[in-house]
Amino acid sequence: MAYPDALLGENEYVVVHKHPHWKMLVLPVLVLLVVVGGGSYLAALVAPTTWHLPVWIALAVVGGLLVLWFTVAPLVRWRTTHFVITTHRLMVREGVFTRSGVDIPVQRINSVRFRHGLLDRLVGCGTLIVESASDEPLEFDDIPAVEKVHTLLHREINESDPD
Protein backbone atom coordinates (compact mmCIF):
# COMPACT_ATOMS: atom_id res chain seq x y z
CA MET A 1 0.00 0.00 0.00
CA ALA A 2 1.47 3.36 -1.01
CA TYR A 3 1.65 6.35 1.29
CA PRO A 4 -0.86 7.82 2.29
CA ASP A 5 -3.27 4.99 1.42
CA ALA A 6 -2.47 3.25 4.71
CA LEU A 7 -3.72 6.32 6.61
CA LEU A 8 -7.08 6.62 4.89
CA GLY A 9 -10.36 5.88 6.60
CA GLU A 10 -13.38 4.16 5.15
CA ASN A 11 -14.80 5.96 2.08
CA GLU A 12 -11.86 8.40 2.11
CA TYR A 13 -9.98 9.05 -1.12
CA VAL A 14 -6.88 11.03 -2.02
CA VAL A 15 -7.64 14.15 -4.05
CA VAL A 16 -4.12 15.65 -4.10
CA HIS A 17 -0.80 14.21 -2.95
CA LYS A 18 2.25 16.43 -3.44
CA HIS A 19 5.78 16.93 -2.23
CA PRO A 20 7.16 20.45 -1.89
CA HIS A 21 8.12 22.16 -5.13
CA TRP A 22 11.46 21.24 -6.70
CA LYS A 23 12.71 24.82 -6.20
CA MET A 24 13.73 23.88 -2.67
CA LEU A 25 16.28 21.48 -4.20
CA VAL A 26 18.05 24.11 -6.32
CA LEU A 27 20.48 25.21 -3.58
CA PRO A 28 21.39 21.62 -2.56
CA VAL A 29 22.15 20.76 -6.18
CA LEU A 30 24.30 23.89 -6.51
CA VAL A 31 26.17 22.91 -3.34
CA LEU A 32 26.78 19.46 -4.83
CA LEU A 33 28.19 20.98 -8.02
CA VAL A 34 30.43 23.42 -6.11
CA VAL A 35 31.73 20.71 -3.77
CA VAL A 36 32.48 18.30 -6.61
CA GLY A 37 34.02 21.03 -8.78
CA GLY A 38 36.04 22.56 -5.96
CA GLY A 39 37.19 19.19 -4.68
CA SER A 40 38.25 18.11 -8.18
CA TYR A 41 40.13 21.36 -8.69
CA LEU A 42 41.95 21.06 -5.37
CA ALA A 43 42.73 17.39 -6.05
CA ALA A 44 44.24 18.34 -9.41
CA LEU A 45 46.34 21.05 -7.75
CA VAL A 46 47.96 18.65 -5.28
CA ALA A 47 48.33 15.75 -7.76
CA PRO A 48 51.97 16.58 -8.68
CA THR A 49 53.09 16.62 -5.04
CA THR A 50 54.46 13.61 -3.21
CA TRP A 51 51.92 13.97 -0.36
CA HIS A 52 48.84 14.00 -2.58
CA LEU A 53 47.26 10.79 -1.20
CA PRO A 54 46.49 12.11 2.34
CA VAL A 55 45.16 15.35 0.83
CA TRP A 56 42.90 13.41 -1.53
CA ILE A 57 41.56 11.38 1.40
CA ALA A 58 40.93 14.58 3.40
CA LEU A 59 39.21 16.19 0.41
CA ALA A 60 37.03 13.10 -0.06
CA VAL A 61 36.03 13.05 3.62
CA VAL A 62 35.26 16.79 3.76
CA GLY A 63 33.48 16.70 0.39
CA GLY A 64 31.46 13.63 1.41
CA LEU A 65 30.36 15.27 4.67
CA LEU A 66 29.39 18.47 2.86
CA VAL A 67 27.38 16.54 0.26
CA LEU A 68 25.65 14.47 2.95
CA TRP A 69 24.75 17.52 5.05
CA PHE A 70 23.85 20.03 2.34
CA THR A 71 22.57 17.82 -0.52
CA VAL A 72 21.44 14.37 0.64
CA ALA A 73 19.72 15.58 3.85
CA PRO A 74 17.57 18.21 2.04
CA LEU A 75 16.72 15.67 -0.66
CA VAL A 76 15.56 13.13 1.92
CA ARG A 77 13.66 15.87 3.78
CA TRP A 78 11.94 16.86 0.51
CA ARG A 79 11.07 13.25 -0.29
CA THR A 80 9.59 12.59 3.16
CA THR A 81 7.42 15.71 3.20
CA HIS A 82 3.86 15.04 2.04
CA PHE A 83 0.96 17.43 1.45
CA VAL A 84 -2.23 15.44 1.02
CA ILE A 85 -5.83 16.48 0.51
CA THR A 86 -8.41 13.73 0.87
CA THR A 87 -12.18 13.79 0.72
CA HIS A 88 -12.26 14.15 4.53
CA ARG A 89 -9.12 16.02 5.62
CA LEU A 90 -5.97 17.93 4.86
CA MET A 91 -2.82 16.08 5.97
CA VAL A 92 0.74 17.32 6.14
CA ARG A 93 3.54 14.96 7.18
CA GLU A 94 7.21 15.86 7.39
CA GLY A 95 10.40 14.60 8.92
CA VAL A 96 12.93 11.85 8.54
CA PHE A 97 13.83 10.58 12.00
CA THR A 98 11.28 12.62 13.92
CA ARG A 99 7.99 12.77 12.05
CA SER A 100 5.44 15.49 12.62
CA GLY A 101 2.04 15.88 11.11
CA VAL A 102 -1.05 18.01 10.94
CA ASP A 103 -4.54 16.75 10.14
CA ILE A 104 -7.35 19.24 9.60
CA PRO A 105 -10.84 17.90 8.93
CA VAL A 106 -12.23 19.51 5.79
CA GLN A 107 -15.40 20.52 7.66
CA ARG A 108 -13.34 22.62 10.09
CA ILE A 109 -11.60 24.68 7.40
CA ASN A 110 -13.03 28.20 7.31
CA SER A 111 -11.03 29.72 4.50
CA VAL A 112 -8.28 28.90 2.07
CA ARG A 113 -5.99 31.48 0.49
CA PHE A 114 -2.83 31.33 -1.56
CA ARG A 115 0.07 33.67 -2.14
CA HIS A 116 2.87 33.56 -4.65
CA GLY A 117 5.39 36.17 -5.69
CA LEU A 118 7.04 36.65 -9.04
CA LEU A 119 9.60 33.85 -8.61
CA ASP A 120 6.94 31.47 -7.33
CA ARG A 121 4.73 32.29 -10.30
CA LEU A 122 7.61 31.68 -12.71
CA VAL A 123 8.33 28.22 -11.33
CA GLY A 124 4.70 27.33 -10.58
CA CYS A 125 4.40 27.15 -6.81
CA GLY A 126 3.26 29.20 -3.84
CA THR A 127 2.09 29.32 -0.25
CA LEU A 128 -1.27 27.89 0.76
CA ILE A 129 -2.84 29.53 3.80
CA VAL A 130 -5.51 27.51 5.62
CA GLU A 131 -7.64 28.95 8.41
CA SER A 132 -9.47 26.43 10.54
CA ALA A 133 -12.10 26.83 13.25
CA SER A 134 -9.85 27.14 16.28
CA ASP A 135 -6.27 27.56 15.12
CA GLU A 136 -4.16 30.36 13.78
CA PRO A 137 -3.79 30.25 10.00
CA LEU A 138 -1.41 27.54 8.84
CA GLU A 139 0.94 28.36 5.99
CA PHE A 140 2.26 25.63 3.74
CA ASP A 141 5.17 26.85 1.62
CA ASP A 142 6.36 25.66 -1.78
CA ILE A 143 3.15 23.89 -2.81
CA PRO A 144 3.38 23.00 -6.53
CA ALA A 145 0.50 24.35 -8.66
CA VAL A 146 -0.84 26.20 -5.62
CA GLU A 147 -3.80 27.72 -7.49
CA LYS A 148 -5.01 24.30 -8.60
CA VAL A 149 -4.53 22.89 -5.09
CA HIS A 150 -6.44 25.90 -3.70
CA THR A 151 -9.32 25.23 -6.08
CA LEU A 152 -9.42 21.49 -5.30
CA LEU A 153 -9.36 22.11 -1.55
CA HIS A 154 -12.08 24.73 -1.86
CA ARG A 155 -14.16 22.25 -3.87
CA GLU A 156 -13.73 19.57 -1.18
CA ILE A 157 -14.78 22.07 1.50
CA ASN A 158 -17.94 22.92 -0.42
CA GLU A 159 -18.77 19.27 -1.13
CA SER A 160 -18.40 18.31 2.53
CA ASP A 161 -20.51 21.25 3.73
CA PRO A 162 -23.70 19.81 5.29
CA ASP A 163 -25.77 22.91 4.39
Side-chain angles (χ1 to χ4, degrees):
M1 213 180 250
Y3 187 87
D5 293 342
L7 302 175
L8 299 180
E10 191 175 321
N11 296 325
E12 185 176 16
Y13 304 100
V14 173
V15 177
V16 174
H17 178 198
K18 297 197 178 268
H19 294 285
H21 195 268
W22 57 262
K23 83 172 189 177
M24 74 179 290
L25 297 175
V26 170
L27 187 60
V29 169
L30 289 176
V31 168
L32 173 68
L33 295 174
V34 167
V35 167
V36 169
S40 299
Y41 177 74
L42 292 174
L45 280 179
V46 297
T49 65
T50 57
W51 41 269
H52 66 276
L53 189 59
V55 174
W56 284 354
I57 293 171
L59 285 173
V61 168
V62 170
L65 289 174
L66 288 172
V67 166
L68 276 173
W69 190 262
F70 293 108
T71 302
V72 174
L75 178 64
V76 171
R77 204 172 308 115
W78 172 84
R79 186 71 179 111
T80 59
T81 300
H82 300 270
F83 180 84
V84 181
I85 298 172
T86 71
T87 52
H88 297 136
R89 59 190 162 149
L90 167 82
M91 299 187 305
V92 178
R93 301 286 189 270
E94 56 190 1
V96 180
F97 299 113
T98 304
R99 300 276 296 160
S100 64
V102 174
D103 283 17
I104 304 172
V106 172
Q107 301 90 347
R108 297 201 130 178
I109 296 175
N110 292 337
S111 69
V112 181
R113 297 180 291 141
F114 69 90
R115 169 179 73 234
H116 51 150
L118 181 61
L119 178 61
D120 288 341
R121 290 179 71 185
L122 289 173
V123 297
C125 69
T127 300
L128 191 69
I129 304 158
V130 177
E131 293 182 29
S132 64
S134 62
D135 297 327
E136 291 184 20
L138 295 173
E139 294 191 8
F140 304 105
D141 297 323
D142 296 329
I143 302 295
V146 71
E147 289 184 50
K148 182 179 179 184
V149 171
H150 170 265
T151 302
L152 290 171
L153 182 55
H154 196 15
R155 183 180 306 143
E156 288 304 316
I157 292 168
N158 289 336
E159 287 178 5
S160 72
D161 193 11
D163 295 337

